[in-house]
Amino acid sequence: MNKRLVWSVAVSIGFFLVVGAGSTIVGQDAMRDKSECPPELLKVLAETEKEVREKGGFAIVGRAKFDDGTPIKRGDLDFSLHDDPDNAVHNCYGWSDGWFYTRNIHPGPISKRIFDEAKDRGEYRGQRLRAYALHYNPSSPVEFPVVWGTVHYTTITLHKTPEDEKGPISGTVKDEDGKPLAGASVRLTIAATTNWAGMPNLTTKTDPEGKFAFEPLTAQRYRLGVSKAGFTSAGADAEPGTESAVREFTLHPKKNVRFDYVYQPDGSRDFTTGELRTKTFTMDAEKGGGFRFKDGKQANDGIPQDFKLQREGKEFVFRNFFIGKDNGIYDAGEVPFESVKEAPAEDDAYRPPNENGVNHPVPIPVKEKHVYVVRMYDGNYGKLIVREFVPAE
């Protein structure tokens, strides 16, 4: 199916104009539609009108409908709001019966000045609102020449997609040995949606041969998410009528890594004397993140960490999380842990960052029974031995 969709939209725009403290909302159409809002949305709008009046910015409230008269339930629709000049996407919030709402509150006159200067330079075209729904053609963007201190109202009509303009999405899920995985959950959402709940969506499960298929869908980009208890998750985009409409996923058994380590906190390369810290630790390999010898814990908090553990296909690798000219990891091989009594002094013994020294360091494979020495960014040293990979819950 290579037919190009003709997107169409019926739009009428009015607005609630906020003119200052103590002002009233004007506009006959806006007042009529406002009275039809769900009660919970009315409460939100009352607070929004106050914030727009006091802080500046704007908001958009509206209602969408399907042209075939199908009732709209909460979760049937999603909306994306794009901002010029940076094309950022703002969350839109949906209510029942096709109502939606979004806002962009700018605190203070400085934001308004930046906003106005961008418009004067011709870099700010306004807001672009687009509606999405399963089995309906995505709406063409609704353009808003945003007026500071305004709450806009709009209505959008989405048109049913003809059956001959739809196409299927299907695929296969296998384990890391290439065997089919039955009973894996596959979730399909519209890729352009912005809400955290991932609505609207369709779900299915793989059959005994690891295969799945969704009914013919409107030609737009979708996001697939695949999961199964005890396995890693996977995902990819798919679009009917293209090569991406048929996908193959590989899920790996979840694992943890158990290792013993010794931390030398005084800058010495000697692992036999001093105030050594010795411990056994089980690291959530699927979670990734980094490890700090000083704290003896797994963390992913942005503070420099001594190494990062991550999956690459069936294997795991170490990476230096904090990149500097002196830190690195040395693979001593499959030797007794106690036999590594001292950290190497030679700089070239440690796997350094990549050539430019700033982006992603060269990974080191994580192997059972191997001993690794870590030279840390703060000048201290640690060693660890990978005892085993254990199944994760």
Side-chain angles (χ1 to χ4, degrees):
M1 180 195 68
N2 294 314
K3 291 187 177 181
R4 180 178 296 275
L5 291 177
V6 179
W7 291 352
S8 56
V9 61
V11 180
S12 62
I13 300 177
F15 54 83
F16 310 153
L17 180 61
V18 182
V19 296
S23 66
T24 58
I25 308 302
V26 298
Q28 182 178 356
D29 290 343
M31 288 294 290
R32 184 182 68 244
D33 286 304
K34 182 182 175 185
S35 66
E36 299 173 3
C37 287
E40 63 269 30
L41 179 54
L42 280 175
K43 293 178 183 178
V44 172
L45 285 176
E47 181 63 28
T48 298
E49 290 163 4
K50 181 175 181 292
E51 286 192 282
V52 168
R53 182 165 56 243
E54 294 176 353
K55 299 179 181 179
F58 55 87
I60 300 171
V61 62
R63 195 177 192 182
K65 62 179 181 178
F66 296 149
D67 66 343
D68 63 350
T70 301
I72 297 177
K73 305 182 298 296
R74 188 167 188 164
D76 283 351
L77 288 166
D78 193 49
F79 307 85
S80 63
L81 184 67
H82 301 262
D83 202 8
D84 277 341
D86 60 0
N87 201 37
V89 177
H90 302 277
N91 281 332
C92 297
Y93 305 93
W95 274 265
S96 59
D97 205 22
W99 285 93
F100 60 89
Y101 157 84
T102 186
R103 68 176 191 169
N104 197 351
I105 304 298
H106 293 273
I110 295 178
S111 295
K112 184 178 188 304
R113 188 191 70 218
I114 295 172
F115 174 90
D116 289 340
E117 288 175 353
K119 287 173 60 177
D120 292 341
R121 293 193 302 268
E123 297 176 358
Y124 194 95
R125 203 175 64 210
Q127 299 289 314
R128 300 189 308 284
L129 180 74
R130 190 189 293 275
Y132 301 88
L134 294 169
H135 306 300
Y136 291 82
N137 289 347
S139 69
S140 298
V142 181
E143 301 285 348
F144 288 93
V146 172
V147 178
W148 194 266
T150 299
V151 181
H152 298 264
Y153 170 77
T154 183
T155 58
I156 300 175
T157 300
L158 286 93
H159 299 273
K160 190 82 172 183
T161 305
E163 292 301 317
D164 62 355
E165 293 182 4
K166 293 182 178 182
I169 288 178
S170 61
T172 306
V173 181
K174 300 179 180 180
D175 65 16
E176 62 185 20
D177 296 321
K179 297 177 181 178
L181 269 181
S185 297
V186 185
R187 189 169 187 254
L188 176 146
T189 59
I190 298 172
T193 56
T194 58
N195 66 74
W196 294 110
M199 300 295 253
N201 68 69
L202 296 173
T203 59
T204 188
K205 288 186 178 293
T206 55
D207 65 18
E209 297 181 344
K211 297 180 179 180
F212 68 89
F214 289 98
E215 59 194 278
L217 294 160
T218 300
Q220 58 183 319
R221 191 163 55 90
Y222 297 92
R223 184 159 293 127
L224 297 173
V226 184
S227 61
K228 183 176 175 65
F231 289 82
T232 59
S233 57
D237 286 357
E239 184 172 350
T242 70
E243 291 184 358
S244 67
V246 180
R247 288 289 189 181
E248 183 171 302
F249 296 96
T250 299
L251 304 188
H252 304 278
K254 289 185 177 180
K255 295 179 181 178
N256 290 334
V257 178
R258 187 173 69 84
F259 58 85
D260 297 339
Y261 72 88
V262 174
Y263 172 53
Q264 175 57 278
D266 61 7
S268 171
R269 293 185 296 107
D270 189 347
F271 291 125
T272 64
T273 62
E275 297 183 7
L276 302 174
R277 303 178 194 172
T278 304
K279 188 177 180 182
T280 298
F281 188 82
T282 300
M283 190 167 183
D284 184 343
E286 305 302 342
K287 182 179 180 181
F291 182 82
R292 283 196 293 269
F293 284 90
K294 179 174 65 176
D295 301 328
K297 67 179 184 179
Q298 182 172 353
N300 195 15
D301 52 13
I303 299 173
Q305 291 138 23
D306 301 319
F307 66 81
K308 186 174 183 178
L309 181 69
Q310 66 185 53
R311 179 187 282 278
E312 291 192 355
K314 295 176 65 173
E315 310 300 330
F316 292 93
V317 296
F318 287 123
R319 292 182 183 271
N320 289 110
F321 187 79
F322 185 86
I323 301 173
K325 65 178 182 178
D326 296 326
N327 63 309
I329 298 177
Y330 165 66
D331 184 354
E334 189 174 342
V335 297
F337 194 37
E338 297 75 15
S339 69
V340 181
K341 301 180 183 298
E342 187 177 74
E346 301 81 7
D347 288 344
D348 59 4
Y350 299 90
R351 187 70 64 86
N354 59 4
E355 292 181 359
N356 63 18
V358 293
N359 290 326
H360 298 290
V362 177
I364 296 178
V366 179
K367 300 179 181 179
E368 282 188 344
K369 313 305 180 186
H370 275 230
V371 176
Y372 300 88
V373 177
V374 181
R375 184 166 65 178
M376 303 164 206
Y377 72 95
D378 59 4
N380 292 324
Y381 292 86
K383 70 172 182 174
L384 63 92
I385 181 169
V386 177
R387 294 297 186 188
E388 62 179 336
F389 293 98
V390 294
E393 296 181 358

